[in-house]
Amino acid sequence: VSRVFSGASKVSDAVKQRVHDAALSLDWIPNAAGRALASSRTYIAGAIIPTLDNEIFARQVSGLQGVLSRHGITLFLGCSNYDPDQSLLQARAMLARGVEALAIVGEDHPPELFAALRAQRVPYVVTYSFRQDSSHPCIGFDNSAAFAAITGHLLSLGHRRFAVIVQPTHHNRRVTDRLAGIHAALAAAGLTIGDNALQIGPSGLEFGALAFERLMQADKACRPTAIICGNDMLALGALGSAARLGLVAPRDFSITGFDDLAISSRIEPHLTTMWVDNFKIGEVAAQHLLDVLVEQKTPAGQEITPVIRLRSSSGLAP
Amino acid sequence: VSRVFSGASKVSDAVKQRVHDAALSLDWIPNAAGRALASSRTYIAGAIIPTLDNEIFARQVSGLQGVLSRHGITLFLGCSNYDPDQSLLQARAMLARGVEALAIVGEDHPPELFAALRAQRVPYVVTYSFRQDSSHPCIGFDNSAAFAAITGHLLSLGHRRFAVIVQPTHHNRRVTDRLAGIHAALAAAGLTIGDNALQIGPSGLEFGALAFERLMQADKACRPTAIICGNDMLALGALGSAARLGLVAPRDFSITGFDDLAISSRIEPHLTTMWVDNFKIGEVAAQHLLDVLVEQKTPAGQEITPVIRLRSSSGLAP
DNA sequence: CTGAAAGCGCTTACAG
DNA sequence: CTGAAAGCGCTTACAG
C-alpha cells in the first residue's frame, strides 16, 4: 500500500489496481501523522500576517497559498493582529505541528520567535519589508526609500509645508521606516514636520477624515500644502473630509497614499500613490521556501520594487 | 515528559521542573505527528473559501481563525478561486493531513467533496449561504430573501423599470439565488427583467462601470430607473461611470449594492446596500465545529440576518 | 507519583 | 517485484 501511494516505485499493475480498489471501497486515505512520523516530512508550511482585513496581506497569502498548494504543501494561517505576543504564540503552535517553513510579515517580532525557528531549523522568510542590512532573509520593499520617493515627488512640485497622516507606529517598524524616509527626504531639503502636522491614528477612512480636519483647522497661511498618508485608506478618508469642507485637490492641497487600491484610481481626484505587487511577494516567498526545502539552498532575500502612480491628487504647490 | 507536557496529571513539582529545564536547554518541543498518531487527535481544522481577494471571505477567515486558535486549534487555509476541482483538491489535501473539522463557503461543490467528508467522519459547516432546506449545516444568510428585500425596497419607491448587474453565475449558487430573489419579487409585482437589462460579468469596479454604460445607452424612455448590483464593487464602478456620464443618483436613477464595504458609506452618493456580519459568520462557524468536536453535538445551522442600509443612492422613481 | 511497554500508521532498508 | 520487520515520537493503560 505504501509503495502504491507514495508514487513511482516498482509495483506491478495488478497489485496497484488491487490496492486502489481496496482503498476506494474502504474510503481509505493515507494518514498524514503516520507518514510524517516515519518520513519526518509534513508537507506543511505556515504564514503569519498581521490581519486579513487589509487586502495587501490577503493578496500575499493568496500568492503563497497558490504556489505551495501546487507543490503539495498545505498552508497554516495565523493572524497576529499586530500583537507580538500573538505572533509568538502562533509561531509556536505552527512549529509544534511541524511546519517545514514559515513566511512572516515584517521583522518586528519577539526575538524568541526567530530563536525558536532557528532552534527547530525551520527555514523562514520575512515578507513585505526589505532592508539591505536585515539579519533575516527579506522579500519585500524598502519602506523608507518608498516614502522618500513620494516625498521627493511632492518636493519637486514645489511644496514646502508638509503634513503626515500615518498608522500607529507601535510594534510596526514598517510605519517607523516610512516616517524615517519622509523625514530624511525633507531634511535634505532643509524642511521638517511640525508637531501638529504629524497625525498618528488607526488605519482607516475614519481617522483619515478626522486627521485631515485637524490639519486644515490651522490658518490658511500655515496650513500644509502637501499631505503624505501612510496608506490609501487614510488618504481616501482625508479626501472625503476635503469634499465636505469644500477643499479641492490639487488646487488647495496635494495628497498621496500608498497601496494603490482598486478604488483609488476610480474616485475623483485620482489618488497619487504607490503600488506594491503583494501577490508576487507571496509567490516569491513561497518559491524561496521551496528552494530551501527541496534544493537545500540557503534562503536569500529579494527586493520587490514598488511603482509610483502619479495621478491628479498631487499637483504644483499653490 | 508526556505527562508534564500534556497538562494536569500527577507529576511531582521536582520532576516537572527537571523536564521543563531539559526541554528548554535542548530546544525540545513535542512532535505533533507522534502525538496525533498516539492520540488520534490533530488539533487542526480547515477552511476553504473562494478567494482572499474579497474582504467578505477574508473577514470570515479572521473570525474562524481567532476562535479556533483560542481553543488550541490551528487552521489550514485553502482557496478554490471559484473552481470546484480546486475545492475538491484542497479538501482532499486537508483530509489527508487529518483536519478534524472543516468550514467551506457555499454548497456548490462536487458531491465527492461532501462524500469524502462523510466517509472520514469529519464534521463540517457550509458558510455564507443559508437555505432552510439545504442538506448541509449552514451558517449564513438566505441570498434569495436578501435580494428580494432589496428589490422590495426599490419597488416601494415606485420603480418599474429594473436592471441587474451581477457576478458570473457559473459554479456560484449564491449569485443564482440572488437573481432568483430579484425575479420572484419583481414577478410578484407583475414585472420582469428584459434581456438587455441583465448584465453578467466579472465582479469588480471595471465591469460595474462597463455594464452601467451599456444600460444607459438605451433611449431615456426605456432606460432602467432602478439598478440592482450583486455587490458594492459593481455598484461603485457603476457610480464612477455615472459621474462621467453626468448622471446623478437618485435623481436620474437609483442603485443598490451588497456587502456595505467601508468606502460605500463615504462616497457621494452614499450607497444603499446590505451588510452581512461576516466576522460573526466565521466565529459562529468555529463555535459550531468546536461544539461538535468537544461536546459531540450534531452540527446545526444558524441564520445570520443581513441588515439593509438605506442611503442616498436610492430614492423615489422619477 | 513513577517506570516500562504496547501500539498508533506509516516509511524504509533488507531479504528473497 | 513482493513480504516482513524495525522504528519514527508520542499516549495510555498497567504495575508498582
Side-chain angles (χ1 to χ4, degrees):
Chain A
V1 176
S2 178
R3 283 187 205 111
V4 171
F5 272 80
S6 51
S9 57
K10 330 109 230 254
V11 184
S12 67
D13 286 349
V15 173
K16 246 181 214 161
Q17 191 57 52
R18 205 143 54 86
V19 167
H20 275 126
D21 288 351
L24 208 62
S25 76
L26 296 168
D27 280 325
W28 180 87
I29 52 173
N31 175 309
R35 175 207 285 251
L37 206 49
S39 69
S40 59
R41 288 228 38 195
T42 60
Y43 301 93
I44 296 175
I48 296 178
I49 61 172
T51 170
L52 275 172
D53 290 351
N54 190 328
E55 77 175 59
I56 59 176
F57 301 129
R59 283 201 65 69
Q60 221 183 95
V61 173
S62 291
L64 265 172
Q65 204 262 329
V67 171
L68 291 176
S69 90
R70 257 172 269 142
H71 285 79
I73 291 183
T74 310
L75 187 71
F76 275 135
L77 178 72
C79 299
S80 71
N81 297 308
Y82 295 97
D83 174 354
D85 293 338
Q86 270 300 313
S87 58
L88 181 57
L89 273 178
Q90 303 272 0
R92 284 201 171 131
M94 291 183 182
L95 285 172
R97 275 161 188 72
V99 289
E100 301 186 313
L102 188 77
I104 185 164
V105 169
E107 45 184 332
D108 31 10
H109 302 285
E112 295 94 311
L113 191 158
F114 293 108
L117 289 170
R118 289 204 190 90
Q120 305 300 321
R121 292 190 172 64
V122 169
Y124 68 93
V125 286
V126 161
T127 62
Y128 199 62
S129 290
F130 181 92
R131 287 189 309 117
Q132 211 55 261
D133 55 344
S134 168
S135 58
H136 311 293
C138 298
I139 295 173
F141 62 96
D142 183 330
N143 281 278
S144 173
F147 275 73
I150 292 176
T151 311
H153 161 65
L154 291 165
L155 282 167
S156 75
L157 292 169
H159 292 278
R160 308 294 290 172
R161 288 200 307 277
F162 283 77
V164 175
I165 306 177
V166 288
Q167 309 91 309
T169 53
H170 191 57
H171 294 312
N172 194 337
R173 165 146 204 173
R174 301 180 287 289
V175 178
T176 334
D177 284 352
R178 290 175 184 193
L179 280 174
I182 298 170
H183 283 129
L186 290 180
L191 299 173
T192 55
I193 291 185
D195 282 351
N196 298 331
L198 175 57
Q199 296 283 335
I200 300 185
S203 172
L205 297 165
E206 206 94 29
F207 179 71
L210 177 68
F212 184 86
E213 280 166 27
R214 284 189 194 150
L215 291 172
M216 290 307 169
Q217 269 166 4
D219 277 357
K220 204 174 169 193
C222 329
R223 275 183 200 166
T225 66
I227 301 176
I228 300 171
C229 296
N231 65 31
D232 279 11
M233 276 294 172
L234 291 167
L236 294 173
L239 283 170
S241 212
R244 280 189 294 281
L245 297 174
L247 294 170
V248 176
R251 187 194 67 193
D252 302 313
F253 66 98
S254 285
I255 190 165
T256 60
F258 195 87
D259 289 340
D260 196 20
L261 304 180
I263 193 92
S264 300
S265 51
R266 302 190 159 261
I267 50 143
E268 289 296 336
H270 299 339
L271 187 61
T272 291
T273 185
M274 259 180 145
W275 177 73
V276 176
D277 192 342
N278 282 289
F279 191 76
K280 185 174 171 190
I281 289 181
E283 290 193 318
V284 170
Q287 198 51 60
H288 274 243
L289 292 173
L290 287 168
D291 285 350
V292 180
L293 282 178
V294 181
E295 300 170 36
Q296 326 281 1
K297 290 192 192 167
T298 30
Q302 182 170 330
E303 194 164 358
I304 306 287
T305 316
V307 181
I308 195 160
R309 307 270 205 224
L310 302 181
R311 302 208 185 98
S312 58
S313 76
S314 60
L316 287 173
Chain B
V1 175
S2 179
R3 284 187 204 111
V4 171
F5 271 80
S6 51
S9 58
K10 330 106 228 247
V11 184
S12 67
D13 286 351
V15 172
K16 245 181 216 162
Q17 191 58 52
R18 207 144 52 88
V19 168
H20 275 127
D21 288 352
L24 207 62
S25 76
L26 295 168
D27 281 324
W28 181 87
I29 52 173
N31 175 309
R35 176 207 286 250
L37 204 50
S39 69
S40 59
R41 288 226 39 195
T42 60
Y43 300 93
I44 295 177
I48 295 178
I49 60 173
T51 169
L52 275 171
D53 289 352
N54 189 329
E55 77 176 59
I56 61 176
F57 301 129
R59 284 201 63 70
Q60 222 184 94
V61 173
S62 291
L64 265 172
Q65 202 262 328
V67 171
L68 292 176
S69 90
R70 258 172 267 141
H71 286 79
I73 291 182
T74 311
L75 186 72
F76 275 135
L77 177 72
C79 300
S80 71
N81 296 308
Y82 295 97
D83 175 354
D85 292 339
Q86 270 301 311
S87 58
L88 181 56
L89 272 179
Q90 303 273 357
R92 284 201 170 131
M94 290 183 182
L95 285 171
R97 275 158 189 72
V99 289
E100 301 186 313
L102 189 76
I104 185 163
V105 169
E107 45 185 331
D108 31 11
H109 302 284
E112 296 94 310
L113 191 158
F114 294 108
L117 289 170
R118 289 205 188 91
Q120 305 301 321
R121 294 191 169 61
V122 168
Y124 68 92
V125 287
V126 160
T127 62
Y128 199 62
S129 290
F130 181 92
R131 287 188 310 118
Q132 211 56 262
D133 55 344
S134 170
S135 58
H136 311 293
C138 298
I139 296 174
F141 62 97
D142 182 330
N143 281 278
S144 173
F147 274 72
I150 291 176
T151 310
H153 161 66
L154 291 165
L155 282 168
S156 74
L157 290 170
H159 293 278
R160 308 292 292 170
R161 288 202 305 280
F162 284 76
V164 176
I165 307 176
V166 288
Q167 310 91 309
T169 53
H170 190 58
H171 294 313
N172 194 338
R173 164 147 204 170
R174 302 180 286 290
V175 178
T176 333
D177 284 351
R178 290 176 184 191
L179 280 174
I182 297 170
H183 283 129
L186 289 181
L191 300 172
T192 55
I193 291 186
D195 281 352
N196 298 331
L198 175 57
Q199 296 284 333
I200 300 186
S203 171
L205 297 166
E206 207 92 30
F207 179 71
L210 177 68
F212 185 86
E213 279 166 27
R214 285 190 195 149
L215 292 172
M216 291 306 170
Q217 270 165 4
D219 277 357
K220 205 175 169 192
C222 331
R223 275 183 201 167
T225 67
I227 301 175
I228 300 172
C229 296
N231 66 30
D232 279 12
M233 275 296 172
L234 291 167
L236 294 173
L239 283 170
S241 212
R244 280 189 295 280
L245 297 173
L247 294 169
V248 176
R251 189 193 65 194
D252 303 313
F253 65 99
S254 285
I255 190 165
T256 60
F258 195 88
D259 290 340
D260 196 20
L261 303 180
I263 192 91
S264 300
S265 51
R266 302 191 158 262
I267 49 140
E268 286 298 336
H270 299 339
L271 186 63
T272 290
T273 185
M274 260 181 143
W275 177 73
V276 177
D277 192 342
N278 282 290
F279 190 76
K280 186 174 171 190
I281 289 181
E283 290 193 319
V284 169
Q287 197 53 60
H288 275 242
L289 293 174
L290 287 168
D291 285 350
V292 180
L293 282 179
V294 181
E295 301 170 35
Q296 325 281 1
K297 291 191 192 169
T298 29
Q302 183 171 327
E303 195 165 358
I304 306 287
T305 317
V307 181
I308 195 161
R309 307 268 206 225
L310 302 181
R311 303 209 184 97
S312 58
S313 76
S314 60
L316 288 173

